[in-house]
Amino acid sequence: MPNSGVVSLKNVTVVRGGETVLEDLTLSVDESDFLAVIGPNGSGKTTLLKVILGLIEPDAGDVWIVGHEPKDARMRIGYLPQKFDFDHSFPINVFDVVLMGRYSGLFHRYTKDDRDATEMALATVGMSDFLDRQIGKLSGGQIQRVFLARAIVKDPRLLLLDEPTASIDPEMQSSFYELINELKEKMAVIMVTHDIGVSSVHVDKIACINKKLFYHGSVEGGLKHIEELYECPVEIVAHGVPHRVMGRHDHK
Amino acid sequence: MMELLQYDFIRNALISTVLVSIACGIVGTYVVTKRLVFISGGISHAAFGGIGLGYLLGINPVLMAIPYSILSALGIGVMSQRTNVSEDTAIGILWTVGMALGIIFINLSPGYAPDLFSYLFGNILTVPNFDLLLMVLLDCVIVGAVALLHREFAALSFDEEFAQVSGVPTRFLYLLLLCLVALSVIVMIRVVGIILVIALLTIPVAICRQFTERLMTLMLLSILTGIIITLFGLWLSYVLDLSSGATIILALGAAFLLVSLFKRTKKSSP
Ligand SMILES: Nc1ncnc2c1ncn2[C@@H]1O[C@H](COP(=O)(O)OP(=O)(O)O)[C@@H](O)[C@H]1O
Ligand SMILES: [Mg+2]
């Protein structure tokens, strides 16, 4: 039966290429939650988001998104992917990229409402001055904002952010978090991040995963588990971005 | 020039130039922006199997090539979506198997194949009326499909994953796009031949994308560019008495080189 809440995962297991990527994961997100998902590289965070989006079918378990199957709930989910692997010379401008987020079905033309919503979303992310700019002629942080606008342009109930701050400089990061802080008033947010230091200031709950769910609850209670989570796989952690997770933690 | 127009073959050549340029401008825009160049090469060469089958069965080879190339387009698409075969391997297999089948079919056909060469390298001066009609029809299908589905094709080409998340039926549309490539190949076979199809699909778009940042403008510009340069190549082949398909391609290549050099010198000396 569909559960209440925006996201409800029950005993979800995902196997990819013979390897268990997510194991027996149970997780729920309510109407106005801001949940940070934390875990080392390869722990299945992106996979979790793709399960929520219905891009990956779980091998076991149930997923309900606003009371629907993931595929039927897509219209209500905004998604900011981890990697923007698009062709930077693609002939499209910022406005049209965001307008694509308003797609509503075969043969539906984009309406004036869609255009207005696009302008609003671009204003929200502070990119109104770049409507006509070809998408590749923007900085990394600006592209990030445009894609965020594309994610929120249809007023989703749920916003999924996959490591949104990994590729932007610290100054842009704090304004990015302010932006997310405004957005979370209007929609539930799930953010995958390594940057616990900053994120814990804003988030309501955290989920620590590494294949399995290690912790799901308030931020304060989670800090102990983050230590646990990052302690064993130090090598894995040290390879990638999240040096700073160790750093911050050591200082405490 | 006016008296030239009285000849049927010149008139047909001019009409086919326009028809070919329409197909190439529209489909080529997706081929270039979604990076389907290699896959289109596979589809066009596989179509040779259809040409051969046409000879064998005594059916108009171009007509026979339609279902054949659509099936190979779907074959390549499904093989790369559903199985463990990587896409370029699937393309390589269908590319060569299609060519080989074509040769075997022609071997088996009674008599010999007089205009086989023209299917491989094209001859814009010998496009028959029936094939012209076929080209009009296929152009209509291509224009119609893109008029109805350009939003979806744009989303698919720009960011396939996000398109899927937005509810665009990406699998179906990808296969449909490959079918449109197959149809545009058929439109071009008579004019430039199977071997040179890729040039006409890619070069006009490659030239024009240096001048525009909008997909629709790119299509229209590419159609115009295709018409102008193809006519120029046609004229050149007439004057120099050279093979029309190859001369057209060389004209396209030269135009691309000139435009790119011009753009670069402009960039480096602002
Ligand atoms: N397409 C795929 N096929 C097989 N395994 C995959 C695929 N994508 C990811 N994986 C594996 O799934 C695991 C989790 O990946 P991912 O969810 O991207 O981790 P994270 O986002 O936490 O870094 C990794 O071990 C990765 O190797
Ligand atoms: Mg990830």
Side-chain angles (χ1 to χ4, degrees):
Chain A
M1 272 301 293
N3 271 359
S4 61
V6 177
V7 175
S8 148
L9 276 76
K10 263 216 173 104
N11 309 104
V12 167
T13 295
V14 174
V15 180
R16 305 198 76 186
E19 227 183 285
T20 307
V21 178
L22 291 177
E23 195 178 332
D24 201 22
L25 198 102
T26 299
L27 189 77
S28 64
V29 175
D30 285 331
E31 203 61 46
S32 55
D33 274 356
F34 185 2
L35 171 75
V37 176
I38 294 161
N41 285 336
S43 58
K45 305 181 296 297
T46 298
T47 306
L48 172 67
L49 296 191
K50 289 189 175 177
V51 166
I52 293 173
L53 284 162
L55 290 172
I56 295 176
E57 290 238 3
D59 295 83
D62 292 316
V63 186
W64 295 104
I65 312 296
V66 286
H68 294 82
E69 301 259 355
K71 275 180 191 164
D72 302 325
R74 278 174 180 164
M75 292 294 187
R76 314 220 174 97
I77 310 178
Y79 175 45
L80 183 68
Q82 179 173 12
K83 293 197 194 85
F84 310 131
D85 43 358
F86 67 95
D87 174 3
H88 281 246
S89 64
F90 196 94
I92 192 169
N93 65 19
V94 166
F95 185 87
D96 285 346
V97 168
V98 177
L99 189 62
M100 277 180 185
R102 294 286 296 191
Y103 180 80
S104 61
L106 286 174
F107 314 127
H108 289 202
R109 288 162 173 278
Y110 295 117
T111 61
K112 178 155 191 315
D113 275 356
D114 295 330
R115 286 168 211 286
D116 291 346
T118 300
E119 280 182 17
M120 285 264 288
L122 279 164
T124 306
V125 300
M127 289 295 291
S128 291
D129 293 340
F130 299 89
L131 299 184
D132 291 328
R133 189 71 70 88
Q134 192 263 333
I135 185 73
K137 292 182 181 156
L138 295 173
S139 72
Q142 289 173 322
I143 290 178
Q144 178 90 309
R145 280 168 179 266
V146 171
F147 279 55
L148 179 63
R150 181 180 71 166
I152 60 170
V153 70
K154 61 185 167 188
D155 276 322
R157 295 273 300 278
L158 170 66
L159 180 61
L160 304 179
L161 307 166
D162 199 348
E163 298 193 32
T165 55
S167 61
I168 54 180
D169 54 64
E171 204 175 308
M172 287 291 283
Q173 280 183 21
S174 58
S175 64
F176 187 84
Y177 281 121
E178 272 165 36
L179 189 54
I180 300 300
N181 238 14
E182 286 168 30
L183 289 174
K184 78 171 189 186
E185 303 301 321
K186 286 184 246 164
M187 54 195 83
V189 179
I190 301 181
M191 178 171 74
V192 168
T193 182
H194 283 301
D195 202 353
I196 315 158
V198 182
S199 60
S200 57
V201 180
H202 303 293
V203 302
D204 305 320
K205 285 182 184 165
I206 57 176
C208 306
I209 66 170
N210 194 356
K211 248 196 239 184
K212 294 184 190 169
L213 185 70
F214 274 62
Y215 174 81
H216 180 24
S218 73
V219 179
E220 298 74 36
L223 287 175
K224 195 168 73 59
H225 292 265
I226 294 168
E227 180 183 327
E228 226 169 72
L229 189 64
Y230 279 103
E231 230 165 29
C232 325
V234 175
E235 300 98 274
I236 304 172
V237 172
H239 279 305
V241 208
H243 269 283
R244 129 183 244 178
V245 172
M246 301 301 295
R248 272 168 204 266
H249 198 80
D250 288 344
H251 289 299
K252 273 184 187 162
Chain B
M1 196 71 199
M2 269 335 269
E3 69 262 31
L4 276 181
L5 281 177
Q6 289 163 2
Y7 294 111
D8 274 359
F9 69 94
I10 293 286
R11 197 196 57 207
N12 281 9
L14 294 183
I15 297 175
S16 30
T17 299
V18 174
L19 294 174
V20 159
S21 299
I22 290 173
C24 291
I26 295 175
V27 177
T29 293
Y30 296 120
V31 168
V32 170
T33 55
K34 186 145 175 61
R35 313 230 157 135
L36 299 174
V37 177
F38 188 51
I39 208 169
S40 306
I43 292 170
S44 65
H45 283 77
F48 189 65
I51 300 282
L53 195 59
Y55 272 112
L56 183 63
L57 302 178
I59 300 171
N60 179 336
V62 175
L63 201 59
M64 193 62 226
I66 296 176
Y68 194 95
S69 66
I70 284 188
L71 283 180
S72 26
L74 292 176
I76 292 176
V78 171
M79 249 164 105
S80 56
Q81 275 181 358
R82 297 277 156 88
T83 64
N84 292 328
V85 185
S86 79
E87 189 172 270
D88 50 351
T89 308
I91 296 166
I93 294 170
L94 270 142
W95 179 312
T96 46
V97 167
M99 288 297 277
L101 273 175
I103 294 165
I104 299 295
F105 287 148
I106 288 167
N107 283 164
L108 294 176
S109 312
Y112 80 119
D115 48 356
L116 182 62
F117 202 69
S118 82
Y119 291 110
L120 287 176
F121 299 99
N123 188 350
I124 196 169
L125 296 175
T126 61
V127 182
N129 283 336
F130 176 77
D131 291 31
L132 212 57
L133 205 69
L134 206 62
M135 288 160 76
V136 173
L137 220 73
L138 297 184
D139 265 4
C140 288
V141 174
I142 291 170
V143 172
V146 171
L148 285 176
L149 294 167
H150 65 95
R151 285 169 289 268
E152 286 79 5
F153 284 139
L156 176 74
S157 305
F158 178 62
D159 185 342
E160 187 162 348
E161 186 185 70
F162 191 85
Q164 194 183 350
V165 168
S166 317
V168 177
T170 49
R171 284 213 170 142
F172 166 73
L173 285 164
Y174 181 68
L175 292 179
L176 183 62
L177 193 54
L178 294 187
C179 290
L180 293 186
V181 171
L183 294 186
S184 70
V185 166
I186 306 293
V187 173
M188 283 179 283
I189 281 184
R190 279 291 189 181
V191 175
V192 287
I194 281 171
I195 309 227
L196 302 177
V197 153
I198 287 301
L200 219 53
L201 266 181
T202 52
I203 299 176
V205 181
I207 291 172
C208 296
R209 82 180 291 184
Q210 307 186 43
F211 297 97
T212 176
E213 290 163 354
R214 319 238 22 200
L215 216 50
M216 284 298 143
T217 320
L218 180 57
M219 279 184 191
L220 294 175
L221 274 184
S222 303
I223 292 173
L224 270 177
T225 307
I227 292 175
I228 293 169
I229 300 177
T230 306
L231 283 180
F232 175 72
L234 185 58
W235 172 77
L236 211 60
S237 75
Y238 179 77
V239 171
L240 302 176
D241 194 22
L242 293 171
S243 159
S244 60
T247 314
I248 290 168
I249 304 304
L250 287 183
L252 284 166
F256 176 73
L257 207 67
L258 281 177
V259 166
S260 304
L261 286 176
F262 174 71
K263 272 274 171 181
R264 277 192 69 172
T265 45
K266 242 182 82 178
K267 231 185 235 166
S268 55
S269 57

